[in-house]
Every structure is written in C-alpha cells, then in structure tokens.
Amino acid sequence: MLRGWVKDKKAALSASGSTHSLNSAAELQNCLFPVLSKWQLLTVEIVEEAMKAASHIMNDDLESAEAALKEGASSFHKLGKGVVTFLRATLGFEPEIMREASERLADAEATASNDYRRAQKEPRSHHSSIYPPGSEFGLCLAQSQLMSAVVGVLNENLMESIRGFYKLRKAYVTLDGILEAERNYIRSKEGMSNLSTRKLSFDSVRTNESTQSGKAMPGGFGDRASKELVSKPVLPSYDAQEVEKSSDHEANDDSDGEFVDAEETHDEASTTARYLGHIDVNGVTKDLSEISINTPKTPNSPYPKTPTTPFSPRSPTKTTDYMLELDPDAGVFSDPIDTFIHSGANLCFGLLSLMLSLVPPAFSKLLFIIGFKGDRQRGIRMLWQSCKFHNINGAMSGLILLGYYNGLVSFCDILPDSKPVSDSTSSVSENLAGYPTHRLEELLAQMRTRYPKSRLWLLEESRMQASKKRLDAAIDLLSTSGKSPLKQVEALSMFEKSLNCMYSHRYSLCAESFVRCTELNNWSHALYFYIAGSAHVELYRRALDSTDPTTAATHALTATSLLQKVRENAGKKKFMARQLPFDVFVVRKLNKWEARAKEWDVPFIDAIGSSPLEEMIYFWNGHKRMDEKQLHQSLEALAWSTDANRNPHWHKEGLDEMAILAVLKAAIYRGLARYEEARALLEKEVLCHDRALFKGNLKDDWTCPTAHYEMGANLWLGRSRAEISGELGGTGGYGSDGEQDVLIELQKDREKVKEAQGWLDKAGKWEAYELDTRIGLKITTGLETLKGWRREFDAP
C-alpha cells in the first residue's frame, strides 16, 4: 500500500510541472518528508534501489554498481557499497581492496546501528507482520559485521584476525533474533501441538495472489525430526553512538565482553572460562589470557549482555524447516522488506554456520575456546533457501553454494553418500550432503540467465566440468570466453585454468598460465613460480626419455630459472601474521634439493626427487578430477623416479622421499578404485616406520599423518555400497538385495567405517606438521561424514 502511494505521489508531482527529477530516492524523500516518515521511505523505495544497484557487481559491472550506490547515503546503500568491495576483496585478496572493504563496512555498520536504534523508537517506521521494528536495519548491521569479520580474519595482522572472530559473535546475536521472530510468527499461525502431528497448512500463511512471480530457485526442502525449541529475546537493543565510537576505535574491540553464554551440559570436558594458552607468531608469543567467554559486559560496550545460547545454530525444528520450504511467491513474502530480511538472514546465518563447520583441527581449539560452533547441514539448507530469491542476497548465496560444492566438496574425499534426486526414498539432507548435481546445474543455469555478462558463473561452470572429470572442457570454457572487466575475476579464472592444466598434464600451458597469474594478482607468487618450474621439470624428464638433449637442456634451464624466483617472492604475503603455508613449504623444498645437489655433486635439476608437480596435484586433490587415462599418466610420471635407467640417483633417497612417492601412488590407486592396493602400499612404505623418522631438518613430515588419512579414505570408499556410485558419490542404500546378504554387507561396512574413523582420529590429533591446515580440512569433513553414517547405520 505504501509503495503504491509513493508511486502515485511521484506521478502527481511530476504532473504538476515540477522540474526536478524524482527518480532518486533521496529527492523523493525531500519532497515527501512532511507527509511520510523517512523510515517508511527508506524501507520501501531505498531498499529496492540499493539492492538493484549492488546486483550490478554480480554481472561484472563495477562501474554501474558504484555509480548507482553513490546516489544514496542510507544504511542499505552503504551496505551495498560494502558488499561490492567485499566481493572484490575476497576474490583477489589485494591489500588495498581489503582496506577499502574494512572502511566501507565499518561505515555501514555505524549507520545501520544508528538507523536500527531510531527505527525502534519511531512509531511511523516500517512494521512487519513477521519481524519486530528495525529488523531491516538489524540485518544490515549483521551483514556488515559478518563481512567485516571475514575481511578481518583474512587480514595479515593477528589481532585484526582475532577481532574478526569477535565480530562473528556480534552478527550471530542479531541474526538469531531475526530467525527467532520467524519461529514466533509460525507458532502464532498454528499451535505447536498441531506442528507435532502434521505439517503446517500452507494456506494459513499464503495469500491467493502474490506480488512476486517467477520460477523458484532449486532448493525446496522436506521435514526433519522435530526437536525442542529454545526461546530467546528477539532482537538486542544497540546503542548506536557507542557502535560509531567502536568503529572509530577498533583497537578496543577485543576488550568488549559480548561473549556471554548460558550454562549448558557438555558430554566432554567443560570449557574453561578463559584461554590460558598462547599463540606463537614468528617467534613472538602472544598472550591470549584476556580472551574470555564469561566476562561481564563492560560499561562502554555497545552490545548487550544477553543470556544467549552457545554460539551455534539452533536445532532444526518444524517451524524453522517450514520457513525453509517457502518459495518467493508465498504470501508471507508479499512485503518486499520481509523478502529482503528473510533472504539476507538465511544468507548470513547459512554462511556463518557453513564457514565454522569447515574449520580444520589446527584452528578448531581456538574457536571452541571463544565459543564458536558450526552446523554444516543447517547452513547449506539456509543458503539454498536464500538463493531462491531474485536479489543480491540470492545471488551471493548461489555463488557461495557453487563455490562450496565445486571447490570444497570436490577437494574432499570422504563425503556423505548422495542418493539420486529421482529416488523417492531419499531425504533432503541426503541429496544435499554430497554433490547434488541436478540442483547445481539448475542453479547455475538460472544465475547465468540472470547475469549473462558475468564470468563468475562461467568460472563455476568450468569448475563443475572439472568435478565431472572433464578437464579439457573446463579449460576450453576459460580459454575462449573473453575477459572480465573485473581484474579479480580475471585473475581467479586464470588460476583455475592453470590448475586444470596441471591436472591434465598439459605442462607447457600449465607453466605459461601460472606465470601469467603472477601478472594478474599478488597473492602467492612463490607458489606460482614453483608450480611453473615444476612443470618444466616434467618436460625436462620427458625430453631425456626421448633422447633429445638440446630440448632437455632448455627445459632444465627454464625450470631452474623459475624455481630460483621462488625464494625472493616468498614471505611477502601473510595470513594471521604468519607466512602462507605454501610459501613455507616451497622454500623448504628448494633448500632440500640444493642441499642434496651439493651432497650428491649433481646439477640442481637432477637432485629433485619424486615429481614435485604430482605432489602439488595431490595437495589440490587434482587426482579426483582426472579420468582413468589421466590417472595412468600420473603413475607414469611417478615411475620415472624409481627407474634406475632414467634416474640413477633414486637409491640415494631417504625414507621421507620414498614415503612421498608411496602416498602419491596410493592416492592414484584410490582414484582408480584399487583400494586394497593403496592400503597395502601405505602399510608397507609408510605406516610400518616410526613417525619420528619422518621428522628433522628439511624432511617432509606431512607424509605420515597424510597416510593415516589415506587409509581412512580407502576404507570409506571401499565399502560394498560405496561402489554403487555416480560421479561424485555412492547411493549408500541398503535393501536392494536379499535380507541376509544386506545384513552381511552392512556389518562389513560398519567394520570398515569404524576402522576408518580410527585412522582419521589419529590423523586429526597429530602434532603440527607442514600443510596441516590443508590436510586438516579433509580430516574434519571426513570425521563429520563418518559420524553421520554411524548414527544412521550402526546397530543400536
């Protein structure tokens, strides 16, 4: 009604002969302010204007986004500016863009806090049938805090990273209040007694006609088991002036006492009131004893002391599940502001839950001490719900989901079994847990239709092709589609192309592409030069096999030249005040080869051990993206090292180098479904030795814990029902054969899964080693998968 009134008023003013343009929301506000509250105008016209403006960035149109957002100074416009810069910052990790993102998000946070406080007191502010007054500004505040937290964690400064963790908690409190308002709304529509026996009547919250139309995004959901609801205050009350002050004096953030948790019962050891440990950063010990989760609120803290639940999403309930079933044309979303709040809250809370669930063991203890928890399945479902909506929130959710499935899911090996969508017995969680191919294809198709000029979606299509073991198609997509006006997207596309060339053994193009990456971004030039040099090592070895000494000498010179650039480019970028893990890794490898070249009195190129390129392929899990022919090419590359006719120096290698070869071969065997061979090789070459033998100066200490992980992965994939699989996951069902046969298979699989969990438990508790965060992500995902399977199939 308000929206229609505003449009009528605009038409009347135009007809009266006004010479001023009324297209901008700011001018409209000036003309109509005596009649309407500015908060009513903000929540109707300006929200849509700001969201439309910010959406230009999803089409690689930075100039249009910036120009449109410059017209307004509302919380929503400032949030839009923050979103635009945040996407650029997280795509490219460029320091200047990250600083700009931090500044814009701090400004958006302060403005949203001011507007939130005023909207709660303004009687003529927008009133929703679902959310309390000011929720639209509360969402802006939470989104700003969440994005600011991510930028802070990616910062090179340790204390900025820790402050980022604090901001996550601030965002959580507000988001949880918004979701609680949804729960209360559904409860008010139909009593909880009815919810326990039947699904809510869709007609009770849906109107016959809707103001929105269009095909819904994929991601509808079914019911899950009902659990007890825990009530909580809907939204906290913020003192905006103090928020502005804290934005200007960010250094005081870590003294705030906003982390106050309610008492709860733990099955494991209780959390101490404060962390008594230390973090060692570049030889300097940082005392974190002041980080407390039970510190009372300080007088100057802008955030309230609330009896909150632990920092994890609430358990799924019938009410929350119902809201995740609704499509954009449902009557409850007839108000565009409610649409903005619902899609934005699911985007933010879904991202928060997913992000925290992926924390590897190396960081999980710090997050647990502060009070952070995650719920992967819940987060994924909320992101699917958000991406149904045709706004910037839906587009960002779609981008996150595609990145998660095509990046992180494809990076891991121990994943939940995915039943086909056509299987009527499959549940929603089973379809989403692995790799929901059909839904992702629909999502990508709709995003490419909605944003046809963006190479972001083309990049995701390329990743999807690689996940389906179609590496040549993935490379062609990124080679023939033109350039993006956003240099961050162009750099990311080139990096993805480079990786795919590495996986497909296109060595010359791989080296050329990684060198090109050094010209497009400044993230990790040491790694780029290392991989480019390693590709020429393979070309050198091939030239030796073909008895072409001239070509071999050329590649040897090129490889040496590229590898010598590694050391001078290492250490320039940092994460949480530490050098990048891969920078540390590649510098140690160079030192190791140089020491061996001197000890063996051979050229540097001949002191290189097992294929360094295959080693890089393993760390990026490229073997999972290879077809059978490409996997055999990887075996041939590794065979060069052990052939005495081609490599007369193999007998001089130490145990750690032989362990590298064994782990790499076992991973390829796993890709070829030769699980028993892989396990036997690991037991013979790695696991039979004392772990202390793999430690020491210049040694590769990552092989032993990684071998434990590989044992678990082979056991998981070697289950009887895992063999009935699609491209990225097994059907996992038990019941197609005779009952007795099924019981026998199930018991064998139970034993394998139990043994696999034992291997992963050992790997997860390993002391620090090289690239432990990278391997730790696989371990974390694997342990969650195994525990979920055992909950479903273990005997009671």
Side-chain angles (χ1 to χ4, degrees), residues 8 55 67 82 111 114 138 181 188 208 244 271 318-319 329 388 556 565 582 598 604 630 647 671 697 703 711 749 783:
D8 291 343
S55 294
T111 303
N114 263 318
S188 71
N208 292 329
E244 290 180 349
T271 307
K318 291 280 187 176
T319 53
D329 60 353
K388 295 177 184 178
K565 294 181 180 180
F582 267 124
K598 183 177 180 180
F604 172 79
Q630 290 160 343
N647 178 23
N697 186 36
T703 53
M711 289 292 288
D749 284 355
L783 285 171

PDB file of all heavy atoms in Angstrom, residues 8 55 67 82 111 114 138 181 188 208 244 271 318-319 329 388 556 565 582 598 604 630 647 671 697 703 711 749 783:
ATOM      1  N   ASP A   8       2.103   6.868  -6.693  1.00  0.00           N
ATOM      2  CA  ASP A   8       1.054   7.815  -7.070  1.00  0.00           C
ATOM      3  C   ASP A   8       1.493   9.239  -6.781  1.00  0.00           C
ATOM      4  O   ASP A   8       1.240  10.162  -7.553  1.00  0.00           O
ATOM      5  CB  ASP A   8      -0.233   7.494  -6.303  1.00  0.00           C
ATOM      6  CG  ASP A   8      -0.844   6.186  -6.757  1.00  0.00           C
ATOM      7  OD1 ASP A   8      -0.466   5.713  -7.851  1.00  0.00           O
ATOM      8  OD2 ASP A   8      -1.675   5.627  -6.005  1.00  0.00           O
ATOM      9  N   SER A  55      23.406  -5.328  -7.215  1.00  0.00           N
ATOM     10  CA  SER A  55      23.358  -6.533  -8.054  1.00  0.00           C
ATOM     11  C   SER A  55      24.188  -6.406  -9.318  1.00  0.00           C
ATOM     12  O   SER A  55      24.535  -7.414  -9.939  1.00  0.00           O
ATOM     13  CB  SER A  55      21.905  -6.851  -8.426  1.00  0.00           C
ATOM     14  OG  SER A  55      21.151  -7.205  -7.285  1.00  0.00           O
ATOM     15  N   ALA A  67      28.268   3.672  -9.374  1.00  0.00           N
ATOM     16  CA  ALA A  67      27.558   4.892  -9.745  1.00  0.00           C
ATOM     17  C   ALA A  67      26.171   4.928  -9.122  1.00  0.00           C
ATOM     18  O   ALA A  67      25.725   5.970  -8.617  1.00  0.00           O
ATOM     19  CB  ALA A  67      27.463   4.987 -11.267  1.00  0.00           C
ATOM     20  N   GLY A  82      29.556  -1.792   0.665  1.00  0.00           N
ATOM     21  CA  GLY A  82      30.383  -2.765   1.373  1.00  0.00           C
ATOM     22  C   GLY A  82      30.377  -4.124   0.706  1.00  0.00           C
ATOM     23  O   GLY A  82      31.417  -4.785   0.603  1.00  0.00           O
ATOM     24  N   THR A 111      26.244   3.292  10.523  1.00  0.00           N
ATOM     25  CA  THR A 111      24.993   3.876  10.035  1.00  0.00           C
ATOM     26  C   THR A 111      23.810   2.961  10.322  1.00  0.00           C
ATOM     27  O   THR A 111      22.739   3.425  10.746  1.00  0.00           O
ATOM     28  CB  THR A 111      25.093   4.137   8.524  1.00  0.00           C
ATOM     29  OG1 THR A 111      26.213   4.988   8.267  1.00  0.00           O
ATOM     30  CG2 THR A 111      23.833   4.789   7.997  1.00  0.00           C
ATOM     31  N   ASN A 114      22.783   3.186  13.963  1.00  0.00           N
ATOM     32  CA  ASN A 114      22.018   4.414  14.217  1.00  0.00           C
ATOM     33  C   ASN A 114      20.572   4.256  13.765  1.00  0.00           C
ATOM     34  O   ASN A 114      19.628   4.555  14.502  1.00  0.00           O
ATOM     35  CB  ASN A 114      22.656   5.582  13.460  1.00  0.00           C
ATOM     36  CG  ASN A 114      23.573   6.404  14.347  1.00  0.00           C
ATOM     37  OD1 ASN A 114      23.245   6.689  15.492  1.00  0.00           O
ATOM     38  ND2 ASN A 114      24.723   6.759  13.813  1.00  0.00           N
ATOM     39  N   GLY A 138      18.662  -4.067  11.467  1.00  0.00           N
ATOM     40  CA  GLY A 138      19.412  -5.081  12.207  1.00  0.00           C
ATOM     41  C   GLY A 138      20.116  -6.038  11.269  1.00  0.00           C
ATOM     42  O   GLY A 138      21.254  -6.451  11.505  1.00  0.00           O
ATOM     43  N   ALA A 181      12.232 -14.452  15.464  1.00  0.00           N
ATOM     44  CA  ALA A 181      10.997 -13.776  15.084  1.00  0.00           C
ATOM     45  C   ALA A 181      10.213 -14.608  14.072  1.00  0.00           C
ATOM     46  O   ALA A 181       8.975 -14.674  14.134  1.00  0.00           O
ATOM     47  CB  ALA A 181      11.324 -12.398  14.505  1.00  0.00           C
ATOM     48  N   SER A 188       2.600 -18.529  15.949  1.00  0.00           N
ATOM     49  CA  SER A 188       1.365 -17.768  16.120  1.00  0.00           C
ATOM     50  C   SER A 188       0.313 -18.148  15.081  1.00  0.00           C
ATOM     51  O   SER A 188      -0.882 -17.952  15.310  1.00  0.00           O
ATOM     52  CB  SER A 188       1.647 -16.266  16.023  1.00  0.00           C
ATOM     53  OG  SER A 188       1.970 -15.899  14.688  1.00  0.00           O
ATOM     54  N   ASN A 208      -3.884 -15.677  -1.838  1.00  0.00           N
ATOM     55  CA  ASN A 208      -4.263 -16.216  -3.135  1.00  0.00           C
ATOM     56  C   ASN A 208      -3.477 -15.566  -4.265  1.00  0.00           C
ATOM     57  O   ASN A 208      -3.252 -16.168  -5.299  1.00  0.00           O
ATOM     58  CB  ASN A 208      -5.762 -16.016  -3.369  1.00  0.00           C
ATOM     59  CG  ASN A 208      -6.588 -16.864  -2.430  1.00  0.00           C
ATOM     60  OD1 ASN A 208      -6.159 -17.943  -2.041  1.00  0.00           O
ATOM     61  ND2 ASN A 208      -7.758 -16.372  -2.042  1.00  0.00           N
ATOM     62  N   GLU A 244      29.236   3.599  16.758  1.00  0.00           N
ATOM     63  CA  GLU A 244      30.040   4.513  15.958  1.00  0.00           C
ATOM     64  C   GLU A 244      31.399   4.737  16.596  1.00  0.00           C
ATOM     65  O   GLU A 244      32.433   4.776  15.947  1.00  0.00           O
ATOM     66  CB  GLU A 244      29.309   5.850  15.807  1.00  0.00           C
ATOM     67  CG  GLU A 244      28.079   5.769  14.908  1.00  0.00           C
ATOM     68  CD  GLU A 244      27.386   7.098  14.781  1.00  0.00           C
ATOM     69  OE1 GLU A 244      27.736   8.012  15.553  1.00  0.00           O
ATOM     70  OE2 GLU A 244      26.527   7.233  13.919  1.00  0.00           O
ATOM     71  N   THR A 271      34.445 -26.275  29.085  1.00  0.00           N
ATOM     72  CA  THR A 271      35.287 -25.191  28.585  1.00  0.00           C
ATOM     73  C   THR A 271      35.737 -24.319  29.739  1.00  0.00           C
ATOM     74  O   THR A 271      34.948 -23.948  30.595  1.00  0.00           O
ATOM     75  CB  THR A 271      34.488 -24.338  27.593  1.00  0.00           C
ATOM     76  OG1 THR A 271      33.939 -25.195  26.592  1.00  0.00           O
ATOM     77  CG2 THR A 271      35.366 -23.278  26.965  1.00  0.00           C
ATOM     78  N   LYS A 318      10.264 -27.968  13.357  1.00  0.00           N
ATOM     79  CA  LYS A 318       9.219 -27.916  12.356  1.00  0.00           C
ATOM     80  C   LYS A 318       9.004 -26.490  11.863  1.00  0.00           C
ATOM     81  O   LYS A 318       8.783 -26.252  10.684  1.00  0.00           O
ATOM     82  CB  LYS A 318       7.911 -28.455  12.948  1.00  0.00           C
ATOM     83  CG  LYS A 318       7.938 -29.952  13.236  1.00  0.00           C
ATOM     84  CD  LYS A 318       7.713 -30.753  11.983  1.00  0.00           C
ATOM     85  CE  LYS A 318       7.584 -32.235  12.324  1.00  0.00           C
ATOM     86  NZ  LYS A 318       7.261 -33.037  11.148  1.00  0.00           N
ATOM     87  N   THR A 319       9.065 -25.530  12.786  1.00  0.00           N
ATOM     88  CA  THR A 319       8.825 -24.149  12.390  1.00  0.00           C
ATOM     89  C   THR A 319       9.913 -23.631  11.480  1.00  0.00           C
ATOM     90  O   THR A 319       9.644 -23.018  10.455  1.00  0.00           O
ATOM     91  CB  THR A 319       8.724 -23.252  13.638  1.00  0.00           C
ATOM     92  OG1 THR A 319       9.872 -23.439  14.446  1.00  0.00           O
ATOM     93  CG2 THR A 319       7.491 -23.580  14.439  1.00  0.00           C
ATOM     94  N   ASP A 329       7.189 -16.707  -4.039  1.00  0.00           N
ATOM     95  CA  ASP A 329       5.832 -16.242  -4.311  1.00  0.00           C
ATOM     96  C   ASP A 329       4.859 -16.565  -3.187  1.00  0.00           C
ATOM     97  O   ASP A 329       3.652 -16.336  -3.324  1.00  0.00           O
ATOM     98  CB  ASP A 329       5.322 -16.823  -5.633  1.00  0.00           C
ATOM     99  CG  ASP A 329       5.292 -18.350  -5.629  1.00  0.00           C
ATOM    100  OD1 ASP A 329       5.796 -18.938  -4.646  1.00  0.00           O
ATOM    101  OD2 ASP A 329       4.775 -18.930  -6.597  1.00  0.00           O
ATOM    102  N   LYS A 388      16.858 -18.850  -3.589  1.00  0.00           N
ATOM    103  CA  LYS A 388      15.598 -18.845  -4.334  1.00  0.00           C
ATOM    104  C   LYS A 388      15.183 -17.432  -4.729  1.00  0.00           C
ATOM    105  O   LYS A 388      14.430 -17.243  -5.682  1.00  0.00           O
ATOM    106  CB  LYS A 388      14.470 -19.436  -3.488  1.00  0.00           C
ATOM    107  CG  LYS A 388      14.607 -20.903  -3.116  1.00  0.00           C
ATOM    108  CD  LYS A 388      13.438 -21.285  -2.220  1.00  0.00           C
ATOM    109  CE  LYS A 388      13.538 -22.704  -1.713  1.00  0.00           C
ATOM    110  NZ  LYS A 388      12.404 -23.029  -0.810  1.00  0.00           N
ATOM    111  N   ALA A 556      65.599 -27.697 -18.583  1.00  0.00           N
ATOM    112  CA  ALA A 556      66.340 -27.681 -17.315  1.00  0.00           C
ATOM    113  C   ALA A 556      66.692 -26.251 -16.929  1.00  0.00           C
ATOM    114  O   ALA A 556      66.569 -25.850 -15.760  1.00  0.00           O
ATOM    115  CB  ALA A 556      67.606 -28.523 -17.443  1.00  0.00           C
ATOM    116  N   LYS A 565      63.295 -18.109  -8.594  1.00  0.00           N
ATOM    117  CA  LYS A 565      62.483 -16.939  -8.271  1.00  0.00           C
ATOM    118  C   LYS A 565      61.590 -17.165  -7.053  1.00  0.00           C
ATOM    119  O   LYS A 565      60.992 -16.213  -6.553  1.00  0.00           O
ATOM    120  CB  LYS A 565      61.616 -16.560  -9.472  1.00  0.00           C
ATOM    121  CG  LYS A 565      62.390 -16.078 -10.686  1.00  0.00           C
ATOM    122  CD  LYS A 565      61.443 -15.705 -11.823  1.00  0.00           C
ATOM    123  CE  LYS A 565      62.215 -15.216 -13.046  1.00  0.00           C
ATOM    124  NZ  LYS A 565      61.300 -14.845 -14.160  1.00  0.00           N
ATOM    125  N   PHE A 582      51.972 -22.522   1.961  1.00  0.00           N
ATOM    126  CA  PHE A 582      52.638 -22.986   0.747  1.00  0.00           C
ATOM    127  C   PHE A 582      53.963 -22.263   0.528  1.00  0.00           C
ATOM    128  O   PHE A 582      54.900 -22.843  -0.031  1.00  0.00           O
ATOM    129  CB  PHE A 582      51.736 -22.800  -0.469  1.00  0.00           C
ATOM    130  CG  PHE A 582      50.907 -24.011  -0.792  1.00  0.00           C
ATOM    131  CD1 PHE A 582      49.536 -23.938  -0.886  1.00  0.00           C
ATOM    132  CD2 PHE A 582      51.509 -25.248  -0.998  1.00  0.00           C
ATOM    133  CE1 PHE A 582      48.766 -25.047  -1.176  1.00  0.00           C
ATOM    134  CE2 PHE A 582      50.758 -26.375  -1.289  1.00  0.00           C
ATOM    135  CZ  PHE A 582      49.380 -26.272  -1.385  1.00  0.00           C
ATOM    136  N   LYS A 598      74.361 -30.509  -3.621  1.00  0.00           N
ATOM    137  CA  LYS A 598      75.718 -30.325  -3.122  1.00  0.00           C
ATOM    138  C   LYS A 598      76.277 -31.631  -2.574  1.00  0.00           C
ATOM    139  O   LYS A 598      77.445 -31.986  -2.823  1.00  0.00           O
ATOM    140  CB  LYS A 598      75.709 -29.259  -2.028  1.00  0.00           C
ATOM    141  CG  LYS A 598      77.076 -28.920  -1.484  1.00  0.00           C
ATOM    142  CD  LYS A 598      76.992 -27.791  -0.454  1.00  0.00           C
ATOM    143  CE  LYS A 598      78.361 -27.435   0.094  1.00  0.00           C
ATOM    144  NZ  LYS A 598      78.288 -26.334   1.103  1.00  0.00           N
ATOM    145  N   PHE A 604      71.414 -29.117  -9.982  1.00  0.00           N
ATOM    146  CA  PHE A 604      70.211 -28.907  -9.166  1.00  0.00           C
ATOM    147  C   PHE A 604      69.007 -29.658  -9.727  1.00  0.00           C
ATOM    148  O   PHE A 604      68.242 -30.279  -8.988  1.00  0.00           O
ATOM    149  CB  PHE A 604      69.915 -27.406  -9.118  1.00  0.00           C
ATOM    150  CG  PHE A 604      68.601 -27.061  -8.480  1.00  0.00           C
ATOM    151  CD1 PHE A 604      68.447 -27.043  -7.102  1.00  0.00           C
ATOM    152  CD2 PHE A 604      67.492 -26.754  -9.267  1.00  0.00           C
ATOM    153  CE1 PHE A 604      67.233 -26.726  -6.514  1.00  0.00           C
ATOM    154  CE2 PHE A 604      66.281 -26.429  -8.693  1.00  0.00           C
ATOM    155  CZ  PHE A 604      66.141 -26.414  -7.319  1.00  0.00           C
ATOM    156  N   GLN A 630      44.158 -40.060 -17.510  1.00  0.00           N
ATOM    157  CA  GLN A 630      44.996 -39.062 -16.843  1.00  0.00           C
ATOM    158  C   GLN A 630      45.604 -39.606 -15.553  1.00  0.00           C
ATOM    159  O   GLN A 630      46.737 -39.259 -15.199  1.00  0.00           O
ATOM    160  CB  GLN A 630      44.171 -37.810 -16.577  1.00  0.00           C
ATOM    161  CG  GLN A 630      43.819 -37.053 -17.851  1.00  0.00           C
ATOM    162  CD  GLN A 630      42.635 -36.116 -17.695  1.00  0.00           C
ATOM    163  OE1 GLN A 630      41.872 -36.238 -16.730  1.00  0.00           O
ATOM    164  NE2 GLN A 630      42.462 -35.203 -18.636  1.00  0.00           N
ATOM    165  N   ASN A 647      66.717 -42.606 -13.806  1.00  0.00           N
ATOM    166  CA  ASN A 647      67.081 -41.819 -12.625  1.00  0.00           C
ATOM    167  C   ASN A 647      68.085 -42.608 -11.790  1.00  0.00           C
ATOM    168  O   ASN A 647      67.701 -43.392 -10.916  1.00  0.00           O
ATOM    169  CB  ASN A 647      65.829 -41.507 -11.801  1.00  0.00           C
ATOM    170  CG  ASN A 647      66.158 -40.743 -10.535  1.00  0.00           C
ATOM    171  OD1 ASN A 647      67.199 -40.085 -10.439  1.00  0.00           O
ATOM    172  ND2 ASN A 647      65.282 -40.836  -9.548  1.00  0.00           N
ATOM    173  N   GLY A 671      41.996 -43.298  -6.739  1.00  0.00           N
ATOM    174  CA  GLY A 671      41.224 -42.763  -7.848  1.00  0.00           C
ATOM    175  C   GLY A 671      40.840 -43.817  -8.860  1.00  0.00           C
ATOM    176  O   GLY A 671      39.820 -43.700  -9.537  1.00  0.00           O
ATOM    177  N   ASN A 697      65.387 -31.849   9.975  1.00  0.00           N
ATOM    178  CA  ASN A 697      65.710 -30.740   9.099  1.00  0.00           C
ATOM    179  C   ASN A 697      65.484 -31.088   7.638  1.00  0.00           C
ATOM    180  O   ASN A 697      65.997 -32.097   7.143  1.00  0.00           O
ATOM    181  CB  ASN A 697      67.176 -30.338   9.313  1.00  0.00           C
ATOM    182  CG  ASN A 697      67.536 -29.096   8.536  1.00  0.00           C
ATOM    183  OD1 ASN A 697      66.728 -28.192   8.393  1.00  0.00           O
ATOM    184  ND2 ASN A 697      68.766 -29.052   8.032  1.00  0.00           N
ATOM    185  N   THR A 703      53.910 -36.629   5.302  1.00  0.00           N
ATOM    186  CA  THR A 703      53.524 -37.898   4.686  1.00  0.00           C
ATOM    187  C   THR A 703      52.889 -38.885   5.669  1.00  0.00           C
ATOM    188  O   THR A 703      51.933 -39.580   5.312  1.00  0.00           O
ATOM    189  CB  THR A 703      54.744 -38.555   4.034  1.00  0.00           C
ATOM    190  OG1 THR A 703      55.807 -38.649   5.001  1.00  0.00           O
ATOM    191  CG2 THR A 703      55.233 -37.752   2.847  1.00  0.00           C
ATOM    192  N   MET A 711      44.426 -43.972   4.531  1.00  0.00           N
ATOM    193  CA  MET A 711      43.885 -45.265   4.963  1.00  0.00           C
ATOM    194  C   MET A 711      42.384 -45.144   5.228  1.00  0.00           C
ATOM    195  O   MET A 711      41.588 -46.005   4.810  1.00  0.00           O
ATOM    196  CB  MET A 711      44.614 -45.744   6.216  1.00  0.00           C
ATOM    197  CG  MET A 711      46.045 -46.179   5.983  1.00  0.00           C
ATOM    198  SD  MET A 711      46.200 -47.682   4.990  1.00  0.00           S
ATOM    199  CE  MET A 711      45.639 -48.924   6.178  1.00  0.00           C
ATOM    200  N   ASP A 749      30.498 -53.194   6.240  1.00  0.00           N
ATOM    201  CA  ASP A 749      30.676 -51.749   6.088  1.00  0.00           C
ATOM    202  C   ASP A 749      30.808 -51.060   7.434  1.00  0.00           C
ATOM    203  O   ASP A 749      31.561 -50.086   7.578  1.00  0.00           O
ATOM    204  CB  ASP A 749      29.505 -51.159   5.298  1.00  0.00           C
ATOM    205  CG  ASP A 749      29.599 -51.455   3.810  1.00  0.00           C
ATOM    206  OD1 ASP A 749      30.617 -52.039   3.394  1.00  0.00           O
ATOM    207  OD2 ASP A 749      28.672 -51.086   3.074  1.00  0.00           O
ATOM    208  N   LEU A 783      35.623 -36.840   9.225  1.00  0.00           N
ATOM    209  CA  LEU A 783      35.110 -37.248  10.540  1.00  0.00           C
ATOM    210  C   LEU A 783      33.617 -36.960  10.657  1.00  0.00           C
ATOM    211  O   LEU A 783      32.854 -37.774  11.192  1.00  0.00           O
ATOM    212  CB  LEU A 783      35.875 -36.522  11.647  1.00  0.00           C
ATOM    213  CG  LEU A 783      37.286 -37.035  11.931  1.00  0.00           C
ATOM    214  CD1 LEU A 783      38.021 -36.101  12.886  1.00  0.00           C
ATOM    215  CD2 LEU A 783      37.240 -38.448  12.522  1.00  0.00           C
TER     216      LEU A 783
END
